[in-house]
PDB file of all heavy atoms in Angstrom:
ATOM      1  N   TYR A  59    -109.004 -27.591 121.520  1.00 97.00           N
ATOM      2  CA  TYR A  59    -109.860 -26.782 122.387  1.00 97.00           C
ATOM      3  C   TYR A  59    -109.875 -27.352 123.806  1.00 97.00           C
ATOM      4  O   TYR A  59    -109.655 -26.634 124.773  1.00 97.00           O
ATOM      5  CB  TYR A  59    -111.287 -26.743 121.811  1.00 97.00           C
ATOM      6  CG  TYR A  59    -112.190 -25.802 122.553  1.00 97.00           C
ATOM      7  CD1 TYR A  59    -111.985 -24.426 122.486  1.00 97.00           C
ATOM      8  CD2 TYR A  59    -113.228 -26.269 123.354  1.00 97.00           C
ATOM      9  CE1 TYR A  59    -112.789 -23.549 123.185  1.00 97.00           C
ATOM     10  CE2 TYR A  59    -114.039 -25.394 124.053  1.00 97.00           C
ATOM     11  CZ  TYR A  59    -113.817 -24.039 123.968  1.00 97.00           C
ATOM     12  OH  TYR A  59    -114.607 -23.167 124.671  1.00 97.00           O
ATOM     13  N   SER A  62    -105.893 -27.123 125.240  1.00 97.00           N
ATOM     14  CA  SER A  62    -105.279 -25.818 125.478  1.00 97.00           C
ATOM     15  C   SER A  62    -106.249 -24.854 126.151  1.00 97.00           C
ATOM     16  O   SER A  62    -105.866 -24.135 127.067  1.00 97.00           O
ATOM     17  CB  SER A  62    -104.747 -25.226 124.173  1.00 97.00           C
ATOM     18  OG  SER A  62    -105.799 -24.925 123.291  1.00 97.00           O
ATOM     19  N   CYS A  63    -107.487 -24.833 125.738  1.00 97.00           N
ATOM     20  CA  CYS A  63    -108.430 -23.834 126.246  1.00 97.00           C
ATOM     21  C   CYS A  63    -108.984 -24.207 127.613  1.00 97.00           C
ATOM     22  O   CYS A  63    -109.679 -23.411 128.231  1.00 97.00           O
ATOM     23  CB  CYS A  63    -109.559 -23.598 125.249  1.00 97.00           C
ATOM     24  SG  CYS A  63    -108.955 -23.096 123.626  1.00 97.00           S
ATOM     25  N   GLY A  64    -108.687 -25.392 128.078  1.00 95.00           N
ATOM     26  CA  GLY A  64    -109.119 -25.762 129.416  1.00 95.00           C
ATOM     27  C   GLY A  64    -107.945 -25.831 130.373  1.00 95.00           C
ATOM     28  O   GLY A  64    -108.062 -26.339 131.482  1.00 95.00           O
ATOM     29  N   SER A  65    -106.788 -25.331 129.928  1.00 95.00           N
ATOM     30  CA  SER A  65    -105.592 -25.516 130.749  1.00 95.00           C
ATOM     31  C   SER A  65    -105.424 -24.446 131.822  1.00 95.00           C
ATOM     32  O   SER A  65    -104.712 -24.657 132.791  1.00 95.00           O
ATOM     33  CB  SER A  65    -104.338 -25.591 129.872  1.00 95.00           C
ATOM     34  OG  SER A  65    -104.116 -24.356 129.230  1.00 95.00           O
ATOM     35  N   CYS A  66    -106.030 -23.271 131.662  1.00 96.00           N
ATOM     36  CA  CYS A  66    -105.910 -22.220 132.690  1.00 96.00           C
ATOM     37  C   CYS A  66    -107.193 -22.049 133.487  1.00 96.00           C
ATOM     38  O   CYS A  66    -107.156 -21.709 134.652  1.00 96.00           O
ATOM     39  CB  CYS A  66    -105.570 -20.883 132.050  1.00 96.00           C
ATOM     40  SG  CYS A  66    -103.934 -20.816 131.317  1.00 96.00           S
ATOM     41  N   HIS A  67    -108.316 -22.221 132.806  1.00 96.00           N
ATOM     42  CA  HIS A  67    -109.622 -22.084 133.472  1.00 96.00           C
ATOM     43  C   HIS A  67    -110.476 -23.241 132.978  1.00 96.00           C
ATOM     44  O   HIS A  67    -110.151 -23.854 131.963  1.00 96.00           O
ATOM     45  CB  HIS A  67    -110.264 -20.737 133.129  1.00 96.00           C
ATOM     46  CG  HIS A  67    -110.134 -20.345 131.680  1.00 96.00           C
ATOM     47  ND1 HIS A  67    -110.729 -21.048 130.648  1.00 96.00           N
ATOM     48  CD2 HIS A  67    -109.446 -19.344 131.091  1.00 96.00           C
ATOM     49  CE1 HIS A  67    -110.429 -20.469 129.504  1.00 96.00           C
ATOM     50  NE2 HIS A  67    -109.640 -19.449 129.735  1.00 96.00           N
ATOM     51  N   LYS A  70    -114.695 -23.292 128.592  1.00 96.00           N
ATOM     52  CA  LYS A  70    -115.922 -22.504 128.392  1.00 96.00           C
ATOM     53  C   LYS A  70    -116.789 -23.216 127.373  1.00 96.00           C
ATOM     54  O   LYS A  70    -116.280 -23.700 126.364  1.00 96.00           O
ATOM     55  CB  LYS A  70    -115.593 -21.103 127.871  1.00 96.00           C
ATOM     56  CG  LYS A  70    -114.462 -20.408 128.585  1.00 96.00           C
ATOM     57  CD  LYS A  70    -114.912 -19.731 129.843  1.00 96.00           C
ATOM     58  CE  LYS A  70    -113.734 -19.023 130.502  1.00 96.00           C
ATOM     59  NZ  LYS A  70    -114.021 -18.544 131.832  1.00 96.00           N
ATOM     60  N   SER A  74    -121.742 -20.467 125.483  1.00 96.00           N
ATOM     61  CA  SER A  74    -121.780 -19.467 126.547  1.00 96.00           C
ATOM     62  C   SER A  74    -121.455 -18.052 126.060  1.00 96.00           C
ATOM     63  O   SER A  74    -121.554 -17.101 126.819  1.00 96.00           O
ATOM     64  CB  SER A  74    -120.802 -19.851 127.666  1.00 96.00           C
ATOM     65  OG  SER A  74    -119.466 -19.737 127.197  1.00 96.00           O
ATOM     66  N   ARG A  75    -121.026 -17.931 124.805  1.00 97.00           N
ATOM     67  CA  ARG A  75    -120.671 -16.616 124.272  1.00 97.00           C
ATOM     68  C   ARG A  75    -121.335 -16.416 122.909  1.00 97.00           C
ATOM     69  O   ARG A  75    -121.623 -17.385 122.214  1.00 97.00           O
ATOM     70  CB  ARG A  75    -119.142 -16.487 124.095  1.00 97.00           C
ATOM     71  CG  ARG A  75    -118.320 -16.618 125.365  1.00 97.00           C
ATOM     72  CD  ARG A  75    -118.545 -15.441 126.296  1.00 97.00           C
ATOM     73  NE  ARG A  75    -117.681 -15.415 127.474  1.00 97.00           N
ATOM     74  CZ  ARG A  75    -117.795 -16.202 128.543  1.00 97.00           C
ATOM     75  NH1 ARG A  75    -118.682 -17.162 128.578  1.00 97.00           N
ATOM     76  NH2 ARG A  75    -117.000 -16.033 129.584  1.00 97.00           N
ATOM     77  N   GLN A  79    -118.556 -12.171 120.500  1.00 98.00           N
ATOM     78  CA  GLN A  79    -117.653 -12.308 121.646  1.00 98.00           C
ATOM     79  C   GLN A  79    -116.528 -13.281 121.339  1.00 98.00           C
ATOM     80  O   GLN A  79    -115.365 -13.012 121.630  1.00 98.00           O
ATOM     81  CB  GLN A  79    -118.433 -12.768 122.889  1.00 98.00           C
ATOM     82  CG  GLN A  79    -119.276 -11.661 123.491  1.00 98.00           C
ATOM     83  CD  GLN A  79    -120.194 -12.172 124.604  1.00 98.00           C
ATOM     84  OE1 GLN A  79    -120.749 -13.266 124.526  1.00 98.00           O
ATOM     85  NE2 GLN A  79    -120.374 -11.376 125.634  1.00 98.00           N
ATOM     86  N   TRP A  80    -116.877 -14.410 120.711  1.00 98.00           N
ATOM     87  CA  TRP A  80    -115.845 -15.398 120.378  1.00 98.00           C
ATOM     88  C   TRP A  80    -114.805 -14.807 119.436  1.00 98.00           C
ATOM     89  O   TRP A  80    -113.609 -15.058 119.572  1.00 98.00           O
ATOM     90  CB  TRP A  80    -116.457 -16.652 119.740  1.00 98.00           C
ATOM     91  CG  TRP A  80    -116.989 -17.615 120.745  1.00 98.00           C
ATOM     92  CD1 TRP A  80    -118.266 -18.078 120.840  1.00 98.00           C
ATOM     93  CD2 TRP A  80    -116.245 -18.263 121.804  1.00 98.00           C
ATOM     94  NE1 TRP A  80    -118.369 -18.950 121.897  1.00 98.00           N
ATOM     95  CE2 TRP A  80    -117.150 -19.078 122.505  1.00 98.00           C
ATOM     96  CE3 TRP A  80    -114.925 -18.198 122.227  1.00 98.00           C
ATOM     97  CZ2 TRP A  80    -116.774 -19.856 123.594  1.00 98.00           C
ATOM     98  CZ3 TRP A  80    -114.536 -18.964 123.317  1.00 98.00           C
ATOM     99  CH2 TRP A  80    -115.457 -19.774 123.983  1.00 98.00           C
ATOM    100  N   ILE A  83    -112.570 -12.719 121.640  1.00 98.00           N
ATOM    101  CA  ILE A  83    -111.837 -13.443 122.681  1.00 98.00           C
ATOM    102  C   ILE A  83    -110.785 -14.394 122.100  1.00 98.00           C
ATOM    103  O   ILE A  83    -109.663 -14.481 122.600  1.00 98.00           O
ATOM    104  CB  ILE A  83    -112.830 -14.246 123.569  1.00 98.00           C
ATOM    105  CG1 ILE A  83    -113.756 -13.285 124.323  1.00 98.00           C
ATOM    106  CG2 ILE A  83    -112.077 -15.132 124.553  1.00 98.00           C
ATOM    107  CD1 ILE A  83    -114.990 -13.950 124.910  1.00 98.00           C
ATOM    108  N   MET A  84    -111.158 -15.099 121.032  1.00 98.00           N
ATOM    109  CA  MET A  84    -110.283 -16.162 120.518  1.00 98.00           C
ATOM    110  C   MET A  84    -108.840 -15.721 120.246  1.00 98.00           C
ATOM    111  O   MET A  84    -107.900 -16.365 120.731  1.00 98.00           O
ATOM    112  CB  MET A  84    -110.923 -16.803 119.275  1.00 98.00           C
ATOM    113  CG  MET A  84    -110.259 -18.085 118.848  1.00 98.00           C
ATOM    114  SD  MET A  84    -110.296 -19.356 120.151  1.00 98.00           S
ATOM    115  CE  MET A  84    -111.876 -20.117 119.827  1.00 98.00           C
ATOM    116  N   LYS A  86    -107.125 -13.322 121.505  1.00 98.00           N
ATOM    117  CA  LYS A  86    -106.432 -13.020 122.771  1.00 98.00           C
ATOM    118  C   LYS A  86    -106.028 -14.306 123.486  1.00 98.00           C
ATOM    119  O   LYS A  86    -104.947 -14.410 124.046  1.00 98.00           O
ATOM    120  CB  LYS A  86    -107.369 -12.245 123.710  1.00 98.00           C
ATOM    121  CG  LYS A  86    -107.695 -10.850 123.254  1.00 98.00           C
ATOM    122  CD  LYS A  86    -108.492 -10.158 124.366  1.00 98.00           C
ATOM    123  CE  LYS A  86    -109.239  -8.948 123.817  1.00 98.00           C
ATOM    124  NZ  LYS A  86    -110.363  -8.567 124.699  1.00 98.00           N
ATOM    125  N   MET A  87    -106.943 -15.277 123.470  1.00 98.00           N
ATOM    126  CA  MET A  87    -106.690 -16.531 124.184  1.00 98.00           C
ATOM    127  C   MET A  87    -105.663 -17.393 123.456  1.00 98.00           C
ATOM    128  O   MET A  87    -104.908 -18.140 124.084  1.00 98.00           O
ATOM    129  CB  MET A  87    -107.999 -17.303 124.383  1.00 98.00           C
ATOM    130  CG  MET A  87    -108.927 -16.633 125.352  1.00 98.00           C
ATOM    131  SD  MET A  87    -108.172 -16.515 126.998  1.00 98.00           S
ATOM    132  CE  MET A  87    -108.881 -14.973 127.550  1.00 98.00           C
ATOM    133  N   VAL A  88    -105.634 -17.282 122.138  1.00 98.00           N
ATOM    134  CA  VAL A  88    -104.639 -18.031 121.371  1.00 98.00           C
ATOM    135  C   VAL A  88    -103.236 -17.511 121.733  1.00 98.00           C
ATOM    136  O   VAL A  88    -102.298 -18.301 121.897  1.00 98.00           O
ATOM    137  CB  VAL A  88    -104.923 -17.944 119.846  1.00 98.00           C
ATOM    138  CG1 VAL A  88    -103.711 -18.336 119.030  1.00 98.00           C
ATOM    139  CG2 VAL A  88    -106.110 -18.842 119.496  1.00 98.00           C
ATOM    140  N   LYS A  90    -102.397 -16.302 124.593  1.00 98.00           N
ATOM    141  CA  LYS A  90    -102.118 -16.891 125.915  1.00 98.00           C
ATOM    142  C   LYS A  90    -101.706 -18.359 125.787  1.00 98.00           C
ATOM    143  O   LYS A  90    -100.760 -18.808 126.428  1.00 98.00           O
ATOM    144  CB  LYS A  90    -103.357 -16.810 126.818  1.00 98.00           C
ATOM    145  CG  LYS A  90    -103.664 -15.423 127.341  1.00 98.00           C
ATOM    146  CD  LYS A  90    -104.757 -15.530 128.402  1.00 98.00           C
ATOM    147  CE  LYS A  90    -105.424 -14.211 128.736  1.00 98.00           C
ATOM    148  NZ  LYS A  90    -104.587 -13.339 129.547  1.00 98.00           N
ATOM    149  N   ALA A  91    -102.470 -19.098 124.980  1.00 98.00           N
ATOM    150  CA  ALA A  91    -102.184 -20.533 124.827  1.00 98.00           C
ATOM    151  C   ALA A  91    -100.796 -20.734 124.207  1.00 98.00           C
ATOM    152  O   ALA A  91    -100.056 -21.644 124.590  1.00 98.00           O
ATOM    153  CB  ALA A  91    -103.257 -21.196 123.966  1.00 98.00           C
ATOM    154  N   LYS A  94     -97.977 -20.663 126.448  1.00 96.00           N
ATOM    155  CA  LYS A  94     -97.803 -21.929 127.166  1.00 96.00           C
ATOM    156  C   LYS A  94     -97.272 -23.016 126.247  1.00 96.00           C
ATOM    157  O   LYS A  94     -97.169 -24.173 126.640  1.00 96.00           O
ATOM    158  CB  LYS A  94     -99.144 -22.385 127.763  1.00 96.00           C
ATOM    159  CG  LYS A  94     -99.516 -21.652 129.024  1.00 96.00           C
ATOM    160  CD  LYS A  94    -100.730 -22.275 129.687  1.00 96.00           C
ATOM    161  CE  LYS A  94    -100.376 -23.316 130.720  1.00 96.00           C
ATOM    162  NZ  LYS A  94    -101.577 -23.876 131.376  1.00 96.00           N
ATOM    163  N   TYR A  96     -98.545 -24.028 123.027  1.00 97.00           N
ATOM    164  CA  TYR A  96     -99.457 -24.854 122.231  1.00 97.00           C
ATOM    165  C   TYR A  96     -99.258 -24.694 120.718  1.00 97.00           C
ATOM    166  O   TYR A  96     -99.785 -25.482 119.941  1.00 97.00           O
ATOM    167  CB  TYR A  96    -100.919 -24.596 122.624  1.00 97.00           C
ATOM    168  CG  TYR A  96    -101.272 -25.305 123.911  1.00 97.00           C
ATOM    169  CD1 TYR A  96    -101.305 -24.615 125.116  1.00 97.00           C
ATOM    170  CD2 TYR A  96    -101.515 -26.668 123.918  1.00 97.00           C
ATOM    171  CE1 TYR A  96    -101.600 -25.269 126.304  1.00 97.00           C
ATOM    172  CE2 TYR A  96    -101.805 -27.335 125.097  1.00 97.00           C
ATOM    173  CZ  TYR A  96    -101.847 -26.633 126.287  1.00 97.00           C
ATOM    174  OH  TYR A  96    -102.132 -27.290 127.455  1.00 97.00           O
ATOM    175  N   ILE A  98    -100.318 -22.589 118.267  1.00 98.00           N
ATOM    176  CA  ILE A  98    -101.507 -22.457 117.410  1.00 98.00           C
ATOM    177  C   ILE A  98    -101.221 -21.387 116.353  1.00 98.00           C
ATOM    178  O   ILE A  98    -101.148 -20.198 116.667  1.00 98.00           O
ATOM    179  CB  ILE A  98    -102.747 -22.063 118.250  1.00 98.00           C
ATOM    180  CG1 ILE A  98    -102.945 -23.076 119.395  1.00 98.00           C
ATOM    181  CG2 ILE A  98    -103.996 -21.960 117.378  1.00 98.00           C
ATOM    182  CD1 ILE A  98    -104.011 -22.691 120.411  1.00 98.00           C
ATOM    183  N   LEU A 106    -110.060 -23.510 114.708  1.00 98.00           N
ATOM    184  CA  LEU A 106    -110.547 -23.558 116.090  1.00 98.00           C
ATOM    185  C   LEU A 106    -111.787 -22.676 116.238  1.00 98.00           C
ATOM    186  O   LEU A 106    -112.783 -23.075 116.851  1.00 98.00           O
ATOM    187  CB  LEU A 106    -109.424 -23.071 117.028  1.00 98.00           C
ATOM    188  CG  LEU A 106    -109.593 -23.285 118.523  1.00 98.00           C
ATOM    189  CD1 LEU A 106    -109.750 -24.751 118.856  1.00 98.00           C
ATOM    190  CD2 LEU A 106    -108.400 -22.714 119.284  1.00 98.00           C
ATOM    191  N   VAL A 110    -115.518 -23.839 117.258  1.00 98.00           N
ATOM    192  CA  VAL A 110    -116.277 -23.303 118.392  1.00 98.00           C
ATOM    193  C   VAL A 110    -117.600 -22.692 117.925  1.00 98.00           C
ATOM    194  O   VAL A 110    -118.650 -22.936 118.520  1.00 98.00           O
ATOM    195  CB  VAL A 110    -115.432 -22.258 119.176  1.00 98.00           C
ATOM    196  CG1 VAL A 110    -116.274 -21.512 120.196  1.00 98.00           C
ATOM    197  CG2 VAL A 110    -114.280 -22.941 119.883  1.00 98.00           C
TER     198      VAL A 110
HETATM  199  C1  LIG B 226    -102.435 -19.034 129.832  1.00 93.99           C
HETATM  200  C2  LIG B 226    -103.767 -19.211 130.382  1.00 93.99           C
HETATM  201  C3  LIG B 226    -104.960 -19.246 129.442  1.00 93.99           C
HETATM  202  C4  LIG B 226    -105.140 -20.045 128.350  1.00 93.99           C
HETATM  203  C5  LIG B 226    -104.180 -21.073 127.743  1.00 93.99           C
HETATM  204  C6  LIG B 226    -106.464 -19.734 127.850  1.00 93.99           C
HETATM  205  N1  LIG B 226    -107.068 -18.791 128.623  1.00 93.99           N
HETATM  206 FE1  LIG B 226    -108.961 -18.066 128.422  1.00 93.99          FE
HETATM  207  N2  LIG B 226    -108.650 -16.821 129.993  1.00 93.99           N
HETATM  208  C7  LIG B 226    -107.486 -16.713 130.730  1.00 93.99           C
HETATM  209  C8  LIG B 226    -107.641 -15.639 131.705  1.00 93.99           C
HETATM  210  C9  LIG B 226    -106.574 -15.207 132.713  1.00 93.99           C
HETATM  211  C10 LIG B 226    -108.945 -15.121 131.532  1.00 93.99           C
HETATM  212  C11 LIG B 226    -109.633 -13.968 132.295  1.00 93.99           C
HETATM  213  C12 LIG B 226    -109.062 -12.639 131.959  1.00 93.99           C
HETATM  214  C13 LIG B 226    -109.268 -12.228 130.533  1.00 93.99           C
HETATM  215  O1  LIG B 226    -110.420 -12.171 130.062  1.00 93.99           O
HETATM  216  O2  LIG B 226    -108.253 -11.986 129.857  1.00 93.99           O
HETATM  217  C14 LIG B 226    -109.552 -15.889 130.452  1.00 93.99           C
HETATM  218  C15 LIG B 226    -110.830 -15.686 130.008  1.00 93.99           C
HETATM  219  C16 LIG B 226    -111.449 -16.408 128.996  1.00 93.99           C
HETATM  220  C17 LIG B 226    -112.814 -16.223 128.549  1.00 93.99           C
HETATM  221  C18 LIG B 226    -113.801 -15.231 129.133  1.00 93.99           C
HETATM  222  C19 LIG B 226    -113.517 -13.885 128.533  1.00 93.99           C
HETATM  223  C20 LIG B 226    -114.708 -12.971 128.510  1.00 93.99           C
HETATM  224  O3  LIG B 226    -114.489 -11.759 128.305  1.00 93.99           O
HETATM  225  O4  LIG B 226    -115.845 -13.442 128.624  1.00 93.99           O
HETATM  226  C21 LIG B 226    -113.023 -17.101 127.525  1.00 93.99           C
HETATM  227  C22 LIG B 226    -114.317 -17.284 126.734  1.00 93.99           C
HETATM  228  C23 LIG B 226    -111.779 -17.818 127.313  1.00 93.99           C
HETATM  229  N3  LIG B 226    -110.854 -17.394 128.232  1.00 93.99           N
HETATM  230  C24 LIG B 226    -111.595 -18.755 126.331  1.00 93.99           C
HETATM  231  C25 LIG B 226    -110.372 -19.368 126.069  1.00 93.99           C
HETATM  232  C26 LIG B 226    -110.105 -20.166 124.880  1.00 93.99           C
HETATM  233  C27 LIG B 226    -111.096 -20.433 123.773  1.00 93.99           C
HETATM  234  C28 LIG B 226    -108.824 -20.594 124.984  1.00 93.99           C
HETATM  235  C29 LIG B 226    -108.034 -21.458 124.002  1.00 93.99           C
HETATM  236  C30 LIG B 226    -107.639 -20.851 122.757  1.00 93.99           C
HETATM  237  C31 LIG B 226    -108.282 -20.075 126.243  1.00 93.99           C
HETATM  238  N4  LIG B 226    -109.253 -19.323 126.845  1.00 93.99           N
HETATM  239  C32 LIG B 226    -107.010 -20.329 126.707  1.00 93.99           C
HETATM  240  C33 LIG B 226    -106.381 -17.518 130.604  1.00 93.99           C
HETATM  241  C34 LIG B 226    -106.166 -18.452 129.621  1.00 93.99           C
END
Side-chain angles (χ1 to χ4, degrees):
Y59 187 69
S62 66
C63 303
S65 66
C66 292
H67 42 65
K70 315 277 181 190
S74 68
R75 299 292 186 286
Q79 286 172 322
W80 277 122
I83 295 164
M84 192 59 87
K86 292 187 199 159
M87 291 298 147
V88 163
K90 287 190 196 286
K94 282 189 92 178
Y96 282 100
I98 305 172
L106 192 59
V110 170

